[in-house]
C-alpha cells in the first residue's frame, strides 16, 4: 500500500488530480501544478536531534509520512560572510549560502530528492517504468543521481551545447542523456512530447510542485542557521523560478506558523541578455510581455546558461511572489558575471557562471541589514578560461 500522497491542484483553474495519475500538467489550461498541501509548525529546538538531511524539516514536506526516504545527505550547506557591515554608511553585510556543496554540486538536489522519492513510490506501485527529465545541466545531473540512489531508470534531455562535464556526470549516474538541437526551450518541448508516453514519470523541476517544496528547505535552513530568524533580504537567481518560488513558500509558512516575525523581500536576479521576467516586472505587467507586432524574439547568448529561460511557465506566480514580498528584479551584464566569478574564486569559492549572478547583482550596492545570496553551482562543472569566459 502506498502512503497517502498530496494531490495536485491547478492554481489557475482549480482542476485537481491525484499524484499517482502521472498527469504532469493541468489538462485544462496546460499550466504547472501546485500541491494541495499545508505544512505544520516545527520547533527550532527539536531540529538538533534530527536526521542530517533535507528530511529533517518533515513538518514542511509533503512526502515525509513514509520512512525511509531517498537521500544522499543533501542540505545543511554552509553560510559564510562575503562582506561585513560598514561603519556609518548604512550598508549591511552580505553572506553566501554554499549550495554548490550539495552531493551533485548544485542546489537542484533540494528538489531532485523530492521528485526521486515520489517516483520511487509510484514505481513500487507499478505505475512508473522510467523517469524523464529535461535540463540545462544541473537539474539533470541531480535527477540522474537521485534516480540512481532510488534504483530507477532515468533519461535526461539536455541542449546540445551542455557542458561536457555535466554530460559526463549524467552518464556516470547511469542515466541516458538525449542531446536536443537548439536551445533550452527546444529541449523542454522535446521532453514534454515524450512525457506522455505510458509508464513515464516526468520529473520536471518546472511543472512538478514537489520540486518547489524541496527548494523551500533553502529558507528553512537559513531560519535554523540564524537561530530562528530570517535575513533582511533574500536574493535569488531566477530562470524558471524554482528557488524563488520555494523561498516564497517557506517565508509564508514560517510567518504563518509564528516562527518568524518578518517577511523579507525577495530580490530576483536575471542575466541582462535573457531577462523576460525583469522586463515584465518593471513594466508593471502580471505576465510576460508580448513581443511587438511583427517582431521575432531573439535569444541573446549568456554565460548564465542556467537562468537563460525566455518563457518560464510559472511567470505569473514568480512576478506575484516578488511583488507580494516587497522585492524587486535586478539584471546583470556578462562582464559583471565574469568579474563576480573571478572575485569569488579569489575568495576561495569556485562557482559556475550562473551561480554567481546574485553576488554580481548586490556586491556593488549592498542593502541595509543582512542579505543572503546563494552560490548555486560548482565551477568544477563548467570550468573557467584564463580570460574569465565560460567554457561550455
Amino acid at each position: 500500500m502506498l502512503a497517502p500522497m498530496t494531490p495536485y491542484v491547478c492554481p489557475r483553474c482549480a482542476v485537481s488530480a491525484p499524484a499517482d495519475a502521472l498527469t504532469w500538467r493541468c489538462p485544462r489550461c496546460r499550466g504547472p501544478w501546485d500541491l494541495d498541501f499545508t505544512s505544520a509548525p516545527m520547533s527550532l529546538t527539536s531540529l538538533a536531534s534530527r536526521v542530517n538531511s533535507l528530511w529533517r524539516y518533515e513538518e514542511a514536506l509533503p512526502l515525509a509520512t513514509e520512512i525511509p526516504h531517498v537521500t544522499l545527505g543533501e542540505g545543511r550547506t554552509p553560510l559564510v560572510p562575503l562582506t561585513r557591515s560598514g561603519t556609518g554608511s548604512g550598508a549591511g553585510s552580505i553572506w553566501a549560502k554554499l549550495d554548490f556543496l550539495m552531493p551533485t554540486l548544485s542546489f537542484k538536489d533540494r528538489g531532485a530528492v523530492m521528485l526521486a522519492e515520489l517516483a520511487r513510490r509510484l514505481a513500487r506501485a507499478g505505475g512508473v517504468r522510467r523517469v524523464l527529465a529535461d535540463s540545462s545541466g544541473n537539474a539533470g545531473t541531480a535527477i540522474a543521481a537521485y534516480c540512481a540512489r532510488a534504483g530507477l531508470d532515468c533519461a535526461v534531455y539536455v541542449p546540445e551545447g551542455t557542458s561536457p562535464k555535466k554530460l559526463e556526470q549524467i552518464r556516470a549516474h547511469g542515466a541516458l542523456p538525449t542531446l536536443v538541437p537548439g536551445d533550452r526551450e527546444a529541449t523542454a518541448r522535446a521532453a514534454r512530447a515524450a512525457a506522455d508516453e505510458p509508464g513515464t514519470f516526468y520529473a520536471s523541476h518546472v511543472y512538478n510542485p514537489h520540486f518547489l517544496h524541496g527548494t523551500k528547505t533553502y529558507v528553512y535552513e537559513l531560519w535554523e542557521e540564524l537561530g530562528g530568524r530570517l535575513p533582511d533580504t533574500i536574493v535569488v537567481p531566477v530562470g524558471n523560478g524554482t528557488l524563488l518560488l520555494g523561498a516564497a513558500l517557506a517565508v509564508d509558512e514560517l510567518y504563518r506558523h509564528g516562527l518568524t516575525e518578518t517577511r523579507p523581500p525577495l530580490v530576483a536576479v536575471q542575466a541582462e541578455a535573457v531577462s523576460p521576467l525583469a522586463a515584465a516586472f518593471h513594466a508593471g505587467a502580471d505576465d510576460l510581455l508580448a513581443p511587438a507586432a511583427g517582431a521575432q524574439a531573439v535569444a541573446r547568448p549568456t554565460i548564465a546558461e542556467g537562468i537563460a529561460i525566455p518563457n518560464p511557465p510559472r511567470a505569473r506566480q514568480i512576478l506575484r511572489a516578488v511583488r507580494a514580498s516587497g522585492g524587486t528584479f535586478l539584471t546583470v551584464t556578462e562582464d559583471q558575471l565574469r568579474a563576480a566569478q573571478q572575485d569569488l574564486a579569489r575568495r576561495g569559492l569556485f562557482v559556475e557562471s550562473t551561480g554567481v549572478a546574485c553576488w554580481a547583482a548586490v556586491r556593488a550596492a549592498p542593502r541595509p541589514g543582512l542579505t543572503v545570496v546563494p552560490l548555486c553551482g560548482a565551477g568544477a562543472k563548467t570550468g573557467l578560461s584564463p580570460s574569465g569566459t565560460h567554457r561550455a
Side-chain angles (χ1 to χ4, degrees):
M1 292 289 292
L2 281 175
M5 290 186 289
T6 306
Y8 298 127
V9 61
C10 177
R12 180 173 293 187
C13 48
V15 171
S16 62
D20 59 357
L22 300 185
T23 306
W24 56 270
R25 63 182 174 185
C26 173
R28 182 179 297 174
C29 70
R30 303 171 72 83
W33 292 119
D34 279 350
L35 281 182
D36 185 13
F37 174 75
T38 302
S39 66
M42 68 186 71
S43 164
L44 185 65
T45 56
S46 72
L47 295 174
S49 60
R50 294 195 182 184
V51 64
N52 205 20
S53 79
L54 172 152
W55 297 104
R56 69 194 283 105
Y57 307 110
E58 58 186 40
E59 294 92 339
L61 297 177
L63 294 172
T65 55
E66 183 178 315
I67 298 175
H69 306 106
V70 175
T71 184
L72 288 168
E74 60 289 328
R76 311 215 63 197
T77 54
L79 184 63
V80 302
L82 294 177
T83 68
R84 299 286 188 179
S85 297
T87 56
S89 66
S93 59
I94 304 172
W95 288 53
K97 189 156 173 60
L98 310 189
D99 260 25
F100 69 91
L101 297 180
M102 287 283 195
T104 76
L105 307 182
S106 89
F107 87 95
K108 295 291 177 64
D109 289 14
R110 294 187 182 276
V113 65
M114 298 292 291
L115 295 183
E117 174 64 18
L118 176 59
R120 181 187 70 84
R121 298 189 192 184
L122 297 176
R124 193 176 63 189
V128 168
R129 293 196 300 271
R130 72 159 182 163
V131 175
L132 183 147
D134 62 288
S135 167
S136 61
N138 283 338
T141 60
I143 296 293
Y146 282 91
C147 281
R149 186 69 168 177
L152 300 169
D153 291 334
C154 179
V156 182
Y157 284 57
V158 295
E160 59 184 354
T162 297
S163 163
K165 294 181 180 181
K166 293 179 180 179
L167 292 175
E168 181 181 5
Q169 188 178 4
I170 290 170
R171 292 190 181 99
H173 293 309
L176 176 65
T178 298
L179 274 63
V180 179
D183 60 9
R184 182 67 181 85
E185 288 290 297
T187 302
R189 288 193 297 270
R192 292 166 196 164
D196 291 324
E197 295 177 8
T200 297
F201 173 72
Y202 184 28
S204 172
H205 59 291
V206 181
Y207 279 84
N208 195 303
H210 287 89
F211 197 93
L212 307 182
H213 285 268
T215 62
K216 75 182 179 184
T217 59
Y218 173 83
V219 169
Y220 273 91
E221 287 183 21
L222 291 178
W223 170 77
E224 182 183 359
E225 289 160 337
L226 295 174
R229 69 181 183 95
L230 291 176
D232 297 289
T233 304
I234 297 174
V235 185
V236 291
V238 174
N240 277 309
T242 56
L243 183 54
L244 183 136
L245 291 173
L249 280 171
V251 170
D252 287 346
E253 291 173 359
L254 288 165
Y255 186 81
R256 185 173 67 250
H257 294 314
L259 297 173
T260 179
E261 297 179 353
T262 61
R263 302 179 67 155
L266 301 175
V267 175
V269 179
Q270 294 205 287
E272 185 181 87
V274 185
S275 52
L277 290 161
F281 180 88
H282 292 298
D286 294 330
D287 206 341
L288 299 179
L289 301 177
Q296 291 185 342
V298 178
R300 293 162 56 195
T302 174
I303 59 174
E305 60 182 6
I307 54 173
I309 310 296
N311 296 293
R314 293 187 183 269
R316 294 177 66 89
Q317 290 175 270
I318 296 165
L319 293 166
R320 186 164 57 246
V322 173
R323 289 195 175 104
S325 76
T328 190
F329 271 83
L330 303 175
T331 60
V332 290
T333 67
E334 301 302 292
D335 285 344
Q336 286 177 304
L337 288 165
R338 294 187 182 99
Q341 188 179 32
Q342 291 176 323
D343 177 76
L344 285 173
R346 287 193 293 267
R347 296 167 185 260
L349 302 167
F350 188 27
V351 184
E352 67 176 342
S353 48
T354 297
V356 306
C358 294
W359 175 235
V362 303
R363 71 185 184 122
R367 298 168 67 98
L370 173 61
T371 296
V372 173
V373 301
L375 303 183
C376 296
K381 284 178 169 253
T382 55
L384 182 72
S385 73
S387 64
T389 56
H390 171 77
R391 186 166 53 238

